[in-house]
Amino acid sequence: MNVLVINCGSSSLKFQLINSDTEAVLAKGLCERIGIDGRLTYQPAGGEKKTEDKAMPTHTEAIQFVIDALTDAERGVVKSLEEIGAVGHRVVHGGEKFASSVVITEEVKKAIEECNDLAPLHNPANLIGIDACEKLMPGTPMVAVFDTAFHQTMPDTAYMYGLPYEYYDKYKVRRYGFHGTSHSFVSKRVAEFLGKPYDATRTIVCHLGNGSSICAVKNGKSVDTSMGLTPLEGLVMGTRSGDIDPAIMEFIAKKEGLDIAGLMNVLNKKSGVEGVSGVSSDFRDLANAAAEGNKRAELALEMFAYRVAKYVGSYAAAMNGVDNIVFTAGIGENDGQTRARICSYLGYLGIEIDAEANGKRGEEIVISTPDSKVTVLVIPTNEELAIARETVALV
Ligand code: ADP
């Protein structure tokens, strides 16, 4: 079956058409600037990537262009919509309502809408994408795959905050965690790759990209993760602060004359390694700047590694030990220097890194030595494939 995987943002939409039998990507692309002017990038497998301006006042036009491109006589990869058996939608927040993926019904859409408060930038956009697909592909089954679902197995000791309990009762303020599709896919793959039973291994997944999070996966279940009610908590990220003393907010608000929206903008968009370095949120730029002697770029890189290492230590404690540590996503898969920095804090766990293996990029590989007490690996994540698999399993 061919599955169309849709990741819809407020003004953009990423898509992939995946053949679920071969797991091959037949075509992929991106609609950008929806509601502004509109731009479609489309690439069939083995073909050229092309970008064209297309008027996209709403997501419905964007999806129509995606369908037109996929079924185009020349550059298309299917003859008609009939050859698309299902659509898998990435949905950011499923709150406590969704502990797994679901077939989308009117009831499910209502429940997703009820989580809008928890992800005001993402869930409404995800719903718009679902509505647009339903309009243009009536009768095609659709599945919602949630970023939060995998973490619903966390115990209350891990997901509750030290706040008045009534905020949980009234508003469901708790840790939810994100990147669940990636943490689940990668931790499963580690077990497969090493030939170990998934339900009897302790793995720490370091998903290090522009947004970064860590997850403790014990016997196949997420037992803790570094992102919280929102993706702001945890690691120092590209532009997000991660953990800070909450009292800093009042202090800075008074000094800088900022309101809550202004503060949140600083913490989400002007902080992290970009805020510390004043250089960039991109680790390639930071590495170049640090190599040229930029001290703040060097500081940002070391702070990033140190925070990751602290979380690894706390999750080793949470699981009473750790068997595997795995790096994934843009930084985790490509940046051997950052992996080495992180692992330099982990000698106490008996970790030894094989420098040559760690020098490789973008492939599934064990980067620890045979003597290392914990197996350290790089496993590329593939959220689209994970969504396609979940979709097929449900339809
Ligand atoms: P997201 O999906 O959160 O947008 P990605 O997982 O694609 O992010 O990661 C993007 C980040 O990965 C970039 O900002 C950059 O810091 C980092 N990155 C990508 N390629 C490399 C590389 N070759 N070396 C170092 N860092 C890289």
Side-chain angles (χ1 to χ4, degrees):
M1 180 197 294
N2 295 326
V3 180
L4 179 60
V5 175
I6 300 274
N7 181 355
C8 199
S10 55
S11 68
S12 69
L13 183 159
K14 285 190 215 149
F15 64 93
Q16 280 194 8
L17 188 68
I18 296 177
N19 179 313
S20 66
D21 304 321
T22 60
E23 301 204 325
V25 177
L26 305 179
K28 63 181 173 182
L30 165 72
C31 300
E32 292 167 284
R33 301 178 61 84
I34 302 168
I36 306 166
D37 36 31
R39 189 161 59 207
L40 170 75
T41 302
Y42 173 77
Q43 182 175 28
E48 201 190 330
K49 186 189 217 172
K50 275 196 187 151
T51 301
E52 355 168 31
D53 292 334
K54 298 253 190 197
M56 297 174 188
T58 71
H59 288 74
T60 307
E61 288 83 12
I63 303 235
Q64 184 64 58
F65 287 130
V66 172
I67 293 172
D68 291 348
L70 292 170
T71 54
D72 184 70
E74 241 175 76
R75 300 190 78 229
V77 289
V78 290
K79 284 199 193 71
S80 74
L81 276 187
E82 320 265 281
E83 292 180 33
I84 299 178
V87 183
H89 292 270
R90 174 191 180 218
V91 179
V92 168
H93 219 304
E96 286 188 329
K97 291 183 206 305
F98 299 103
S100 58
S101 307
V102 283
V103 174
I104 298 174
T105 61
E106 284 309 308
E107 228 180 354
V108 165
K109 286 201 287 180
K110 227 173 117 228
I112 295 173
E113 197 179 337
E114 283 164 16
C115 300
N116 277 1
D117 255 8
L118 294 167
L121 294 179
H122 294 102
N123 272 31
N126 300 151
L127 279 167
I128 289 171
I130 292 170
D131 280 336
C133 280
E134 284 182 340
K135 206 152 95 196
L136 296 169
M137 307 172 77
T140 306
M142 315 244 170
V143 168
V145 180
F146 300 91
D147 264 24
T148 50
F150 181 60
H151 302 300
Q152 279 297 301
T153 48
M154 282 187 290
D156 51 6
T157 38
Y159 72 67
M160 287 299 290
Y161 289 113
L163 289 168
Y165 197 88
E166 69 207 61
Y167 296 157
Y168 173 65
D169 273 345
K170 284 202 284 193
Y171 311 121
K172 294 281 169 238
V173 171
R174 51 161 283 180
R175 173 181 314 286
Y176 290 96
F178 298 86
H179 295 138
T181 312
S182 176
H183 288 303
S184 158
F185 177 88
V186 170
S187 56
K188 243 182 235 148
R189 183 67 200 135
V190 167
E192 256 172 36
F193 185 71
L194 297 175
K196 299 237 174 91
Y198 188 44
D199 58 4
T201 42
R202 294 163 300 180
T203 298
I204 296 174
V205 183
C206 306
H207 177 111
L208 311 179
N210 213 359
S212 297
S213 73
I214 303 205
C215 182
V217 186
K218 187 177 186 185
N219 305 337
K221 294 198 165 78
S222 168
V223 294
D224 207 345
T225 190
S226 58
M227 283 178 168
L229 175 79
T230 76
L232 183 54
E233 194 181 347
L235 302 177
V236 179
M237 306 181 213
T239 62
R240 294 187 197 124
S241 65
D243 302 336
I244 58 165
D245 176 352
I248 292 172
M249 307 245 269
E250 186 201 17
F251 187 84
I252 295 297
K254 283 186 178 153
K255 295 278 185 203
E256 297 268 321
L258 290 171
D259 60 8
I260 294 280
L263 274 175
M264 294 315 291
N265 188 47
V266 171
L267 296 182
N268 276 304
K269 305 217 168 111
K270 298 199 172 0
S271 302
V273 291
E274 180 170 302
V276 172
S277 68
V279 172
S280 169
S281 62
D282 193 303
F283 275 54
R284 288 161 287 199
D285 300 337
L286 293 173
N288 289 337
E292 283 165 11
N294 184 314
K295 293 231 158 54
R296 273 168 54 188
E298 172 62 28
L299 172 65
L301 288 168
E302 201 57 41
M303 282 170 65
F304 178 87
Y306 177 67
R307 182 76 59 90
V308 173
K310 281 215 295 190
Y311 265 97
V312 167
S314 66
Y315 289 168
M319 297 192 289
N320 195 21
V322 53
D323 304 309
N324 315 303
I325 297 173
V326 54
F327 292 101
T328 195
I331 300 160
E333 289 166 30
N334 296 302
D335 189 348
Q337 274 183 355
T338 296
R339 291 192 299 256
R341 269 185 208 263
I342 294 166
C343 292
S344 72
Y345 288 98
L346 303 176
Y348 73 97
L349 286 172
I351 286 177
E352 280 176 35
I353 296 300
D354 174 339
E356 195 189 324
N358 187 42
K360 304 224 168 115
R361 263 180 54 186
E363 58 181 281
E364 293 185 332
I365 190 167
V366 172
I367 60 167
S368 51
T369 64
D371 288 340
S372 180
K373 295 225 163 54
V374 176
T375 307
V376 184
L377 313 87
V378 175
I379 299 281
T381 191
N382 192 337
E383 286 167 285
E384 290 78 13
L385 177 58
I387 291 172
R389 284 182 184 165
E390 293 270 308
T391 302
V392 172
L394 283 171
V395 305

